[in-house]
């Protein structure tokens, strides 16, 4: 037996203990150990075996780090079948998560016990895969196709209680998993229970309506992601083929997905999610304690930030300029919380709202550990707020700004304690969006940065460290690819063609739909702010200024790039004369969706290369995570720089160089991109 799997005896019961920290992934040593443990059980005089996971969970699934390498025997489907074909009964005793291959091992066992708090599920589609060790064949045999169609295309999971209800487990218990596993085994022996093979159960009934509904749902929802629809195909296989043939077909589908760029993109994203908060410079730096938070400003952003903190269990003191504004902020927060209750995300809003104090006096922020400013985006206003915070906040407290582009170093300099000042750039709606850009000026103390990351974790946000520049990582890159879209309009593309092409690439919205949603006044204000320092070679979308002056601000006024008789919107052709005027006698060309995607994505990658090259993002993965969590970049493409690697940097650079011949200003070469191409390296080499 391997070190990862132990075999113990308790009277008639054999215990097979899987011990492969941190998540008991089913790597080669575990598979081998499980196989040998089943053989040993078959050979000795134990009458029943219980498979258990050591530590905080049962099994976290196949070892993802082995994907893409040559699989070593025994393969997981064979291990599950080996368990199932054991001549004596085998029980899986599940505590914590049993995911993917972990759930498949449990389904290979003859009986399943789930402890309260356990979760059984198939997250494979989040890795661009489907269950590949019999899960798509065994689960529908146990539960019928309905629960499998709910779970597998969504990458979902169920609680122990739900698992019992749908027939995925046989018993739910509380207490110690080992003791309860033994008790269940003894009860089964007392009942004379024998081995019971799920794979030998008849095919589940085919339900045409359920399959049609699932396919319709996932064709719409998946937006280019292939695995959810393949998961549905695999479940259908279970209704048609016997187990052995079905599992072979499942394996074929699994390996066809293993070869796709989508699988590589999603696994890149999986590991980035974990790497992004691991910053070598914060190694061993303890965060400061944050037991209370202040928020300055109760508009959309401030109210969202306050809601996120309240939901994380933190007491919040929110400062507004007068009673009426404070009441309005409270009402906004109450509205967000009741929406969370309606969506089933929160049981009761009252105790959460009870943690909120709204005040009109900065002095009330004296005792808080961290204050986040979310007032109007204006340097003068921000500096004034920070001077006031500096005057009232206790020593050691953290002063944070939610600015989305202003110079945080300059804001920090308005205080007597720049080392306590940091940027916390939330995305709207702040209680929903996952991304938090942590903007770190050179003056910030390392334990303040560590505290920002610790707070993000508490708020269940994904934090990315960014340096100081206009727009930080995300908005700086956004400004460039938005600029690319405006250039394409001047050259002959319509906003609607651009939106359609970008959605076809996999983003939930195109840039002009996004503008309509956010409000076209935002872009106008940004252009005004930049007007004084604008380079004469910058493209100014004069049509967008005209739209602003017409009062066409997007969804909120019912008219922007689209008109909104309904939520979807139809192209607002009244803007065409405005666009034509901006085009003047510029030569026009047609754009295919591929042309649009190539130009737009190259602009994104090109600016991202500058952001990494200048150290605004520490690594390419920080850009990838930012675009995924803040800007709707499709997860199955991994992120813009992973995507760039996958299409090849030389081809991208060649495109950029050819466009630079006519627009040298916009396509000023990114030194890092040139360097990587010259050295034959890719962005992933820098992660
Ligand atoms: C599958 O099973 C396919 C089969 O159907 C067919 C096969 C033939 N492998 O998330 P954490 C690492 S597909 C390798 O912070 P938590 C993770 O990178 C698989 N490594 O812990 C991190 O490393 P580091 C289906 C893994 O307690 C460390 O473990 N399964 C794996 O917050 C801690 O991770 C899944 O998709 C893995 N499977 O959450 C489950 N999982 O410390 C994916 C984690 O170096 N995993 N690591 O950064 C999870 O959802 C969570 O990790 C889990 C624990 C809920 C289990």
């Amino acid at each position: 037996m391997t070190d990862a799997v132990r075999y113990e005896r308790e009277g008639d019961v054999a215990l097979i203990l899987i011990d492969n920290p941190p998540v008991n992934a089913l790597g080669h040593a575990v598979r081998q150990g499980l196989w040998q443990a089943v053989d040993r059980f078959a050979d000795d005089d134990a009458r029943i075996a219980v498979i258990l996971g050591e530590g905080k969970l049962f099994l976290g699934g196949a070892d993802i780090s082995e994907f893409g390498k040559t699989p070593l025997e025994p393969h997981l489907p064979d291990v599950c079948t080996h368990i199932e074909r054991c001549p004596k009964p085998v029980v899986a005793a599940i505590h914590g998560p049993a995911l993917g291959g972990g759930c498949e091992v449990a389904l290979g066992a003859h009986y399943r016990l789930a402890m309260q708090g356990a979760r059984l599920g198939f997250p494979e589609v989040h890795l661009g895969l489907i269950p590949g060790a019999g899960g798509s064949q065994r689960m529908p045999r146990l539960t019928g196709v309905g629960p499998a169609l709910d779970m597998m295309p969504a990458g979902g999971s169920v609680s122990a209680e739900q698992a019992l209800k749908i027939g995925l487990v046989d018993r739910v218990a509380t207490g110690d998993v080992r003791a309860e596993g033994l008790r269940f085994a003894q009860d089964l022996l007392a009942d004379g229970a024998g081995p019971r093979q799920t794979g030998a159960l008849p095919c589940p009934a085919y339900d045409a309506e359920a399959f049609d509904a699932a396919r319709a749902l996932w064709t719409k929802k998946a937006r280019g992601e292939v695995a959810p629809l393949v998961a549905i195909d695999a479940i259908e296989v279970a209704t048609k083929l016997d187990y052995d043939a079905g599992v072979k077909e499942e394996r074929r589908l699994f390996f066809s997905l293993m070869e796709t760029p989508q699988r590589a993109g999603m696994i890149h994203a999986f590991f980035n999610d974990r790497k992004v908060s691991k910053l070598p410079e914060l190694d061993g730096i303890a965060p400061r304690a944050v037991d209370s938070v202040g928020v300055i400003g109760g508009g959309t952003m401030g109210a969202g930030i306050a809601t996120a903190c309240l939901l994380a269990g933190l007491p919040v003191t929110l400062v507004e300029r007068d009673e009426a504004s404070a009441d309005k902020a409270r009402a906004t927060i109450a509205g967000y919380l009741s929406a969370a209750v309606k969506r089933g995300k929160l049981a009761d809003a009252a105790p959460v709202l009870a943690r909120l104090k709204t005040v009109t006096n900065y002095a009330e922020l004296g005792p808080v550990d961290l204050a986040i400013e979310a007032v109007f985006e204006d340097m003068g206003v921000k500096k004034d707020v920070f001077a006031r915070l500096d005057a009232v906040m206790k020593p050691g407290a953290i002063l944070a700004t939610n600015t989305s582009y202003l110079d945080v170093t300059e804001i920090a300099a308005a205080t007597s304690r720049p080392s306590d000042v940091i940027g916390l750039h939330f995305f709207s709606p702040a209680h929903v969006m996952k991304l938090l850009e942590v903007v770190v000026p050179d003056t910030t103390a390392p334990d303040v940065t560590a505290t920002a990351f610790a707070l993000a974790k508490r708020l269940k946000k994904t934090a990315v460290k960014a340096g100081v520049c206009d727009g930080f990582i995300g908005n700086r890159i956004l400004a460039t690819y938005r600029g690319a879209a405006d250039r394409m309009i001047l050259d002959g593309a319509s906003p609607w063609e651009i939106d359609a092409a970008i959605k076809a690439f996999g983003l939930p919205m195109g840039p002009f739909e996004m503008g309509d949603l956010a409000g076209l006044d935002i872009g106008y204000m940004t252009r005004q702010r930049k007007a004084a320092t604008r380079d004469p070679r910058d493209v100014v979308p004069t049509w967008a200024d005209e739209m602003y002056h017409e009062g066409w601000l997007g969804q909120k006024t019912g008219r922007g790039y689209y008109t909104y008789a309904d939520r979807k919107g139809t192209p607002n052709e009244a803007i065409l004369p405005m666009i034509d005027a901006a085009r003047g006698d510029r030569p026009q060309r047609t754009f295919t969706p591929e042309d649009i995607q190539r130009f737009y994505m190259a602009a994104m990658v090109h600016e991202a290369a500058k952001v990494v090259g200048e150290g605004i993002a520490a690594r390419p993965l920080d850009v990838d995570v930012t675009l995924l969590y803040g800007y709707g970049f499709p997860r199955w493409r991994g992120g813009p720089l992973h995507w760039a690697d996958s299409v090849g940097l030389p081809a991208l650079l060649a495109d950029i160089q050819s466009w630079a011949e006519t627009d040298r200003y916009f396509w000023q070469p990114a030194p890092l991109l040139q360097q990587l191409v010259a050295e034959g390296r890719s962005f992933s080499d820098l992660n």
Side-chain angles (χ1 to χ4, degrees):
M1 211 140 330
T2 63
D3 288 347
V5 180
R6 292 201 315 279
Y7 187 87
E8 292 177 10
R9 284 288 299 269
E10 291 251 6
D12 281 342
V13 185
L15 293 164
I16 299 173
L17 296 134
I18 298 165
D19 188 6
N20 186 28
V23 299
N24 291 334
L26 287 148
H28 182 233
V30 175
R31 298 196 304 274
Q32 222 173 22
L34 256 173
W35 187 285
Q36 290 163 359
V38 170
D39 281 347
R40 182 160 164 193
F41 166 57
D43 287 346
D44 80 7
D45 62 356
R47 294 170 59 208
I48 189 165
V50 181
I51 303 175
L52 289 156
E54 290 280 36
K56 63 182 179 184
L57 80 170
F58 181 65
L59 300 170
D63 186 337
I64 298 167
S65 63
E66 288 182 357
F67 290 172
K69 302 177 187 158
T70 311
L72 297 174
E73 290 186 342
H75 306 309
L76 195 56
D78 301 332
V79 173
C80 296
T81 304
H82 195 54
I83 295 169
E84 187 171 80
R85 307 237 161 121
C86 180
K88 294 187 278 183
V90 181
V91 176
I94 301 159
H95 74 298
L99 299 177
C103 194
E104 289 171 310
V105 167
L107 293 180
H110 306 127
Y111 300 91
R112 283 157 295 279
L113 161 79
M115 303 303 291
Q116 223 171 46
R119 284 207 81 83
L120 287 86
F122 288 102
E124 283 88 344
V125 293
H126 300 310
L127 303 171
L129 294 168
I130 60 164
S136 69
Q137 305 304 296
R138 286 196 181 93
M139 179 173 172
R141 282 178 161 78
L142 275 177
T143 66
V145 295
L149 285 172
D150 286 343
M151 189 190 280
M152 288 177 197
S157 63
V158 289
S159 66
E161 293 75 12
Q162 290 164 319
L164 183 68
K165 214 162 146 193
I166 62 175
L168 205 54
V169 301
D170 306 289
R171 179 186 283 195
V172 173
T174 52
D176 174 57
V177 63
R178 182 178 170 124
E180 289 304 318
L182 281 167
R183 188 199 308 271
F184 188 32
Q186 299 292 3
D187 291 349
L188 286 166
L189 285 180
D191 291 347
R196 198 182 58 167
Q197 297 184 3
T198 303
L201 292 172
C203 288
Y206 176 72
D207 177 346
E209 216 172 284
F211 279 99
D212 287 350
R215 288 200 167 98
L217 176 72
W218 285 100
T219 303
K220 195 162 153 232
K221 255 183 133 171
R223 272 205 306 268
E225 198 180 323
V226 294
L229 288 161
V230 179
I232 298 171
D233 292 345
I235 298 166
E236 186 171 345
V237 167
T239 68
K240 307 247 153 83
L241 300 182
D242 67 36
Y243 180 79
D244 285 339
V247 90
K248 248 191 219 142
E249 178 59 8
E250 178 201 69
R251 193 96 179 128
R252 189 189 67 75
L253 294 171
F254 177 82
F255 277 113
S256 70
L257 290 172
M258 193 63 106
E259 298 308 314
T260 60
Q262 296 204 359
R263 190 274 304 164
M266 288 177 112
I267 287 182
H268 174 78
F270 175 87
F271 284 117
N272 282 355
D273 285 348
R274 284 145 183 92
K275 266 196 223 163
V276 71
S277 58
K278 290 191 180 123
L279 301 175
E281 68 270 32
L282 297 184
D283 245 8
I285 308 264
R288 298 183 191 175
V290 175
D291 296 317
S292 56
V293 169
V295 174
I296 303 95
T300 309
M301 252 353 260
I305 294 168
T307 305
C309 294
L310 292 167
L311 285 169
L314 287 159
V316 173
T317 304
L318 186 144
V319 186
E320 257 296 358
R321 72 176 86 87
D322 52 39
E323 291 295 343
S325 309
D327 289 349
K328 199 168 160 214
R330 175 176 286 275
T332 308
I333 295 167
Y336 290 159
L337 293 175
S338 66
V341 171
K342 268 194 207 121
R343 285 200 312 272
K345 302 259 176 213
L346 178 67
D348 185 3
V352 181
L353 199 58
R355 288 194 281 274
L356 174 69
K357 188 170 155 192
T358 47
V359 299
T360 56
N361 185 348
Y362 275 71
E364 304 260 8
L365 295 177
V368 305
D369 297 319
L370 179 145
I372 307 168
E373 159 282 312
V375 301
F376 188 63
E377 280 288 90
D378 176 90
M379 184 53 92
V381 177
K382 302 265 187 204
K383 280 185 173 171
D384 178 53
V385 167
F386 272 76
R388 284 160 163 238
L389 290 174
D390 192 21
V392 299
M393 291 185 71
K394 66 185 179 189
I398 294 173
L399 286 61
T401 170
N402 176 54
T403 180
S404 42
Y405 51 79
L406 294 175
D407 184 339
V408 184
T409 312
E410 195 180 332
I411 295 173
T415 72
S416 64
R417 38 177 148 178
S419 62
D420 293 337
V421 177
I422 197 162
L424 292 180
H425 179 211
F426 288 82
F427 287 69
S428 188
H431 56 297
V432 176
M433 291 288 284
K434 284 279 284 178
L435 183 65
L436 179 66
E437 265 182 311
V438 177
V439 187
V440 186
D442 292 341
T443 42
T444 304
D447 65 341
V448 170
T449 311
T451 310
F453 275 84
L455 177 72
K457 197 167 177 194
R458 193 152 172 200
L459 303 184
K460 298 201 176 73
K461 305 245 175 256
T462 300
V464 178
K465 186 183 162 205
V468 177
C469 68
D470 194 314
F472 318 128
I473 299 177
N475 282 347
R476 172 167 161 184
I477 297 172
L478 166 74
T480 301
Y481 62 80
R482 278 293 286 105
D486 290 340
R487 277 175 161 71
M488 286 190 278
I489 288 196
L490 284 181
D491 286 342
S494 79
W496 315 297
E497 284 171 331
I498 295 173
D499 280 348
I502 297 314
K503 280 195 287 190
F505 185 83
L507 278 99
M509 260 183 243
F512 299 102
E513 281 170 293
M514 189 64 218
D516 273 4
L517 178 70
L520 299 177
D521 43 336
I522 295 181
Y524 179 80
M525 300 296 178
T526 307
R527 288 192 295 280
Q528 292 295 306
R529 175 174 64 84
K530 290 187 172 173
T533 54
R534 181 183 297 142
D535 188 288
R537 292 164 295 181
D538 272 326
V539 161
V540 181
T542 50
W543 65 88
D545 289 350
E546 277 186 64
M547 289 167 70
Y548 174 83
H549 293 303
E550 286 288 339
W552 298 348
L553 305 184
Q555 286 197 14
K556 62 183 168 192
T557 58
R559 187 177 284 255
Y561 285 95
Y562 298 80
T563 50
Y564 295 93
D566 55 42
R567 262 195 66 210
K568 201 167 153 269
T570 47
N572 176 12
E573 299 202 344
I575 64 174
L576 287 174
M578 300 172 182
I579 291 176
D580 275 342
R583 285 172 177 161
D585 52 9
R586 223 177 145 103
Q588 298 291 291
R589 53 169 286 217
T590 52
F591 284 82
T592 65
E594 293 70 32
D595 293 338
I596 292 169
Q597 292 165 358
R598 229 168 101 194
F599 199 77
Y600 191 83
M601 285 306 304
M604 192 184 291
V605 170
H606 195 218
E607 190 63 35
K610 292 181 185 171
V611 161
V612 176
E614 292 167 23
I616 298 298
R619 304 152 296 188
L621 73 88
D622 296 291
V623 170
D624 283 350
V625 171
T626 301
L627 271 289
L628 241 55
Y629 285 108
Y631 297 83
F633 196 88
R635 188 173 175 86
W636 54 268
R637 291 202 190 263
L641 295 183
H642 174 83
W643 173 84
D645 281 349
S646 71
V647 297
L649 302 190
L652 265 168
L653 183 62
D655 270 352
I656 288 168
Q657 284 166 335
S658 78
W659 296 322
E661 283 169 20
T662 48
D663 190 353
R664 179 121 212 108
Y665 171 66
F666 188 70
W667 293 107
Q668 281 170 36
L672 179 64
L673 186 57
Q674 290 175 310
Q675 186 193 338
L676 288 175
V677 171
E679 293 170 357
R681 297 199 299 158
S682 53
F683 285 112
S684 67
D685 295 324
L686 308 179
N687 277 333

